[in-house]
Amino acid sequence: MMPVLLTAGVTLLASVLLPFAVKPWLVKMGVVDVPSARSSHGRTTIRGMGVAVSVATAVGYVTAVLLGAVTVDRSVFAVVLAIIVASAAVGWIEDLRGLSIRGRAAAQLGIGAAGSAALIVLTGQSFWWLPLAALAIAAYINIANFMDGVNGISSFHGVLAGAAYTVAGTLADQPWLTAGGAVLAMAFLGFLPWNLSRGSVFLGDVGSYLLGASVAALAVAGFLSGVYVEYVLSPILVYVADTGYTLLRRINAGERWYASHREHVYQRLTDVGFSHLQSAGTVAACTAAVIGLGFIAATAPLPTVVLCVAGSLAVLALYLASPDLIRHFRRRRKVTRAPVS
């Protein structure tokens, strides 16, 4: 456990300090985020700080190997890192000069397919899993990108997902997952103070792609390694539910589902009066609740499993309905308080 703690400490320190060096470089290069149709902010802001988080992540992975935190399945650990680095590189290109939708999708699917094929070989699983695994990695990279729209939300997600996979790796006796989860959690914890309050810097696509790839690669590798599916899936359910629900709403309304927008549940929470921190905190709280229920369900008897599944569905349903519920509550409260003439 000591090597994992040291790895976490080194990653956290790197993540906290690297932005001091990276920020002036980004300013010099003019890597800024201009508010668009899908933005929840209203001023031009420095983006691309995900470069610092990416370097901290790489430092953490190398440190984990050097300190002996990963004693077996180092090849799996290396493939996970390769997926993360490749995805972050695509995000950096997107930040610098942009990519077409087709080019971006091709790159993400290519990374997902190559990484999944390597993981399947290393874990001895059937290649029938290849299409699903490749699509899962590519899809979650995009989901993390879509959900990176208010201050703090990505950092909270990285910390929670990383902590969950750290515990999952320990319980499943998968040292590479324990170390990978710890690096993920500490890399995004270090970034949290930089954009949580004032939002002076953003992760950019390099950072959101890094986050999505980190979570997806650890999840896919964990699943292929035989880790309980509840451990693997519970950290991603809120993000997947928000994105899927928003997509269905837009399709049902006859809108162009692929066009830029700000209709995600977490964005609609800011429309009804939540601050960025409150919106991000709501997503984090729901994610933490679903993770807890998922981990309980993994090894519980059937009646408890049923209760945990029902509880998770209730949390997801409440989260998805929360903007409408809040708006309805405030409308009724306003009507109740209106003076009678």
Side-chain angles (χ1 to χ4, degrees), residues 142-159:
N142 281 287
I143 288 172
N145 181 248
F146 296 153
M147 294 291 290
D148 183 33
V150 294
N151 300 336
I153 191 170
S154 289
S155 290
F156 283 148
H157 187 58
V159 170

Side-chain angles (χ1 to χ4, degrees), residues 32-46:
V32 296
D33 186 74
V34 178
S36 65
R38 63 178 290 264
S39 301
S40 295
H41 62 286
R43 60 189 175 91
T44 300
T45 309
I46 299 170

Side-chain angles (χ1 to χ4, degrees), residues 113-139:
S116 297
L119 290 172
I120 286 171
V121 170
L122 292 173
T123 57
Q125 295 294 336
S126 170
F127 267 88
W128 286 108
W129 288 113
L130 180 58
L132 180 60
L135 184 60
I137 291 174

Side-chain angles (χ1 to χ4, degrees), residues 48-299:
M49 192 56 79
V51 170
V53 185
S54 299
V55 175
T57 298
V59 168
Y61 271 70
V62 172
T63 301
V65 173
L66 293 178
L67 293 180
V70 183
T71 53
V72 294
D73 294 328
R74 289 185 176 181
S75 296
V76 172
F77 199 59
V79 171
V80 170
L81 177 59
I83 293 171
I84 294 170
V85 170
S87 300
V90 173
W92 177 239
I93 295 172
E94 177 73 7
D95 280 327
L96 282 182
R97 56 185 180 86
L99 287 170
S100 66
I101 294 177
R102 289 184 179 180
R104 188 165 62 243
Q108 292 165 349
L109 283 170
I111 293 169
S116 297
L119 290 172
I120 286 171
V121 170
L122 292 173
T123 57
Q125 295 294 336
S126 170
F127 267 88
W128 286 108
W129 288 113
L130 180 58
L132 180 60
L135 184 60
I137 291 174
Y140 205 75
I141 291 172
N142 281 287
I143 288 172
N145 181 248
F146 296 153
M147 294 291 290
D148 183 33
V150 294
N151 300 336
I153 191 170
S154 289
S155 290
F156 283 148
H157 187 58
V159 170
L160 286 171
Y165 290 144
T166 301
V167 175
T170 302
L171 295 176
D173 195 23
Q174 300 284 348
W176 65 267
L177 183 56
T178 301
V183 170
L184 171 59
M186 293 300 102
F188 280 91
L189 180 62
F191 176 72
L192 187 59
W194 282 91
N195 95 316
L196 182 58
S197 56
R198 296 184 179 180
S200 60
V201 294
F202 288 164
L203 285 169
D205 290 326
V206 60
S208 60
Y209 284 24
L210 167 81
L211 173 60
S214 297
V215 175
L218 289 172
V220 168
F223 175 77
L224 293 174
S225 298
V227 176
Y228 285 126
V229 69
E230 292 89 348
Y231 293 168
V232 168
L233 291 181
S234 58
I236 71 174
L237 288 180
V238 172
Y239 264 38
V240 170
D242 191 327
T243 304
Y245 176 69
T246 301
L247 177 62
L248 291 176
R249 286 182 76 249
R250 288 177 60 79
I251 292 175
N252 187 58
E255 300 174 358
R256 292 186 301 165
W257 59 269
Y258 52 86
S260 296
H261 65 88
R262 55 178 317 281
E263 298 178 19
H264 282 277
V265 175
Y266 76 90
Q267 292 170 319
R268 291 167 56 219
L269 282 173
T270 63
D271 292 339
V272 297
F274 275 33
S275 67
H276 281 219
L277 178 57
Q278 289 172 328
S279 176
T282 299
V283 175
C286 292
T287 298
V290 173
I291 289 173
L293 291 168
F295 272 59
I296 293 171
T299 56

Side-chain angles (χ1 to χ4, degrees), residues 280-317:
T282 299
V283 175
C286 292
T287 298
V290 173
I291 289 173
L293 291 168
F295 272 59
I296 293 171
T299 56
L302 183 58
T304 303
V305 172
V306 172
L307 290 175
C308 288
V309 170
S312 296
L313 291 175
V315 170
L316 293 176

